Amino acid sequence: MFANLLGRLHWSSLPQDAITRGGAIMIVVLGLSALVALTVTHKWKWLWHEWFTAQDPKKIGVMYIVVSTLMLLRGFSDALLMRAQQATSVGSSTGIVDSYHFQQIFSAHGTIMIFFVAMGFMFGLINLVLPLQIGARDVAFPFLNSVSFWLFFAGMGLINLSLLLGEFSAAGWLAYPPLSELKYSPGVGVDYWIWALQIAGVGSMLSGINFLVTIIKMRAPGMTLMKMPMFAWSVMASMSLVAFAFPILTVTLALLALDRTLGMHFFTAGAGGNPMMYVNLIWAWGHPEVYILVLPAFGIYSEIVSTFARKKLFGYTSMVWAIWAIVLLSFTVWLHHFFTMGAGANVNAFFGIMTGVIAIPTGVKIFNWLFTMYRGRIKFATPMLWFMGFVVIFTIGGIMGVLMSVPAIDYQVHNSLFLVAHFHMMIVGGVLFGYLGGLTYWFPKIFGFRLNERLGRYAFYGWFIGFLLAFTPLYILGLMGATRRLDHYDASMGWQGLFIVAGIGVLFLAVGIAFQVLQLVVSIWQRDQHRDLTGDPWNGRTLEWSIPSPAPVYNFTTIPVIYERDAFWVTKQMDGKRRKHYEDIVLPKNTGAGVWIAGFAFAVGFGMIWHMYWLAVIGLVGVVVTLIVRSMDEDTEYVMTAQEVEKHENALARRRMAV
Amino acid sequence: MNEQSESVIVEHPHEPLSLNKYIVGFVLSIGITLGAYLLATHQSYSKNFIMIMLAVLAVVQFVVQMVFFLHVGAERKPRWKLFVMLMMLAVVLILVFGSVWIMDNLDYRMTTDQVQTYLKSQDSL
Amino acid sequence: MSDTAVVLSESEEVKNTEKTVFGFWVYLMTDCVLFASLFAVYSVLHANTFGGEGGQQLFDLPYVLGETMLLLTSSFTCGLALLAAQRRNKQQVLFWLGVTAALGLSFLAMELSEFRHLVAEGNSWRRSGFLSSYFTLVGTHGLHITFGLIWMITMMFYVAKKGFTNAVSKRLMLLSLFWHFLDVVWIFIFTIVYLFGARGI
């Protein structure tokens, strides 16, 4: 009876080999040290009341970014292992891991980087910045926002748990069937993948709805759409994509789960299943997903370039059109991910042409940024460096993409390292550089002090040089015929030298990351010397710079009225004084319901993965009950009176003066 | 001052619901449903014709229900609900028809049954 | 944190309601895409009967017409409930919500019976791609109906206990949107699964 209770959980589920044991031990040690540190410093209550139960999107944003940063380290460790393997596993040597483990490593690498680093940074930044930019106090649905974060956290928990219990998927970051079906992946790996993504995916979808409604319904009076900052436009577009693309992922993951759990035949190799339908659906989601990630990064570049060129953004209207053209087109190109998988010439030609077309609005945006720089008075602060790195890397990678949009060429390089280099240039050079630049740019607004510029510069160069060193060889290798995901190859291929160069590149990247960690530590240590006393450390143009740093929980004492684009810049030119006016502000009360819901969702995932179905049922009931209980709570808001707001503002001002 | 006695039911403050709309919508829906049913079960037109007619009837009923039950036409400007619905429709059409086109096209490089039968009959393979 | 009570002006309440209703509408649109994906899968797999019987043999059209009428009527009675709520007539709201729930429950019962019948004859979701996609598409709709019924019964309790507060009225609006939307989805299931199926399309 008890054996049934534990499903397929067993002592043998604990890690059996050295490297996985090492990873597991590291996670356990890190986790335990965090728990011990919290206990010794008596910070549990503080953590719960100040952070976990918070409804303030600035706090939620910080939590997203902390989690994503930790996951970046984990995903990067996977990359280090992969590069080490491919640099050494030649001829008679089998490298440092066996092939089954290598497959889990690259599957985890991709999954973590996309879902738990890129998406996490994105939602984190949107939480931090969007309400400020549109002159709002909060997002449309603060409780939903908290639920979204905790579902993200639960998904992250499951992925990390796979290092301790069981194994991870070895089917790639997208788990194509039939490999991902029960017959060929009978273990828990693919199930971990499915449930981590399904749970985090629900969180993402809710965020998509939340931020979209926020932009549509909560802009400050007078801020018409065409007066919004470009970052807000890009978030609106990205969240529209989230809302309409993520349901496809939800369905596809669910169907795979149904195949694996209830013996259905959606994607099985027999009984009328159609594995290609999975490929079709997963990319119908997957292509919009990459635009979901890159559009906010584009928005960040618009903010950074206009601020540091000290010039208004060139071609605002064409930027808006370009963004929406990209949104529409992103739903018409998905087959280019599987040109080689059997479609005829007509279909391939159509999707190839659309893929070429989508490069056009993207090009428009790059030119607009360059034209913004032209005749500006450019300050090369760290955020601007990230932009410059982006222009170089993303343009090269983008051209490679246009090359591959021609199906005949794609037949030569599909699933080679050429492809791998291309998409890393897009995601690292495009998405990640944007988010890192954005984090540096908006850091003072959230924390009240600037990051150390010099270390930031070093970090950027580590990343930039490291990235080029790590990925340029991959283009060459791809053209030489190297397939992706190889854990071993013949010495006669002549590839090893290039793999070693790529390995060195990754070490440079590690140095870049080390500088970032150092920058954070040093900046915190030196924070009094770098306090942001004005709230406007970069001489910015948009509303977020009009309030003190760190931004108070209510953002604005009074909601501003907007008359122009770049509203704050205009105000600054006219009068520097901030009018003091206070009013009662309604804010959401903290609640732990989001944590509970995610905890129950985690139970659902864990139960489904390990076939402990009783646990999954309890989890599902728990989620529903928590929602109903929460809905019965009539006391979910509190008032900060005008006097309290005034006291708070004065206290902030005194703290700034004291420095 | 507690405003709870003035609770607002309607989605848009100046558009009260009307019984007539619901009745008209209900009657139309029943009619269209029965029409579609009869078409599918009793008429002996070609498959293609039936398919198109049924699809048209479904779309008409979709519009009827949207207008009369979900109040799509009654929005004040800016018409965000309509805009979001149109985006959804665009995505849905592309997804469904695109998927059907692609999946059907995967047979492009396979010999058709017709060709196979012919080749067998020629004894040449 | 002060002890001042949270009181919103009427225009703020209206704005809040508008915001929530719009947010729920966006969610319904995402649910449409969810169903569209299931429809896409059904379209691709509906002929994959793997040697078994297809829709033409398995579907009982008069029975399904009956289900459809039940659901359509329930959509109408839901509208009547909302009208009664507008007039703040508690008894009528409870009555019409009750009727709606009863009709919805009957629909669900008929559907479950249909499923049971199929399974009993060896045509379960494990049999073929066609049956997997059939059970999943129709079953997902049925799951939504189930959640709707749970919500409806909860709302009946709220209306009975609290009358027409802002929160209750707002949620009745959302529930009715949800219920109508489920009827819209059903029209497409009725057409594409059953009517098409009956003609071998």
Side-chain angles (χ1 to χ4, degrees), chain A residues 14 121 129 137 178 233 366 448 606:
Chain A
L14 288 167
F121 274 140
V129 177
R137 293 232 160 84
W233 267 119
I366 298 204
F606 189 86

Side-chain angles (χ1 to χ4, degrees), chain A residues 347-382:
Chain A
V347 169
N348 275 359
F350 172 77
F351 283 96
I353 293 172
M354 297 313 285
T355 307
V357 168
I358 204 174
I360 298 175
T362 314
V364 164
K365 296 181 79 65
I366 298 204
F367 280 117
N368 278 345
W369 290 315
L370 296 177
F371 290 150
T372 310
M373 288 172 71
Y374 179 66
R375 295 216 181 184
R377 293 171 300 133
I378 304 176
K379 184 171 198 284
F380 284 100
T382 309

Side-chain angles (χ1 to χ4, degrees), chain A residues 89 102 118 139 144 162 164 230 314 334 355 363 434 464 470-471 477 499 514 574 577 601 631 635:
Chain A
S89 175
F102 185 74
V139 297
L144 218 60
S162 71
L164 298 170
M230 197 47 63
F314 184 93
W334 79 89
T355 307
F464 186 64
F471 285 95
L477 282 165
F499 273 116
M574 296 198 312
K577 277 188 164 183
S631 77
D635 186 24

Side-chain angles (χ1 to χ4, degrees), chain B residues 94-108:
Chain B
I94 292 173
L95 177 67
V96 174
F97 288 108
S99 296
V100 169
W101 183 38
I102 290 171
M103 297 307 290
D104 184 66
N105 197 261
L106 292 177
D107 291 335
Y108 180 86

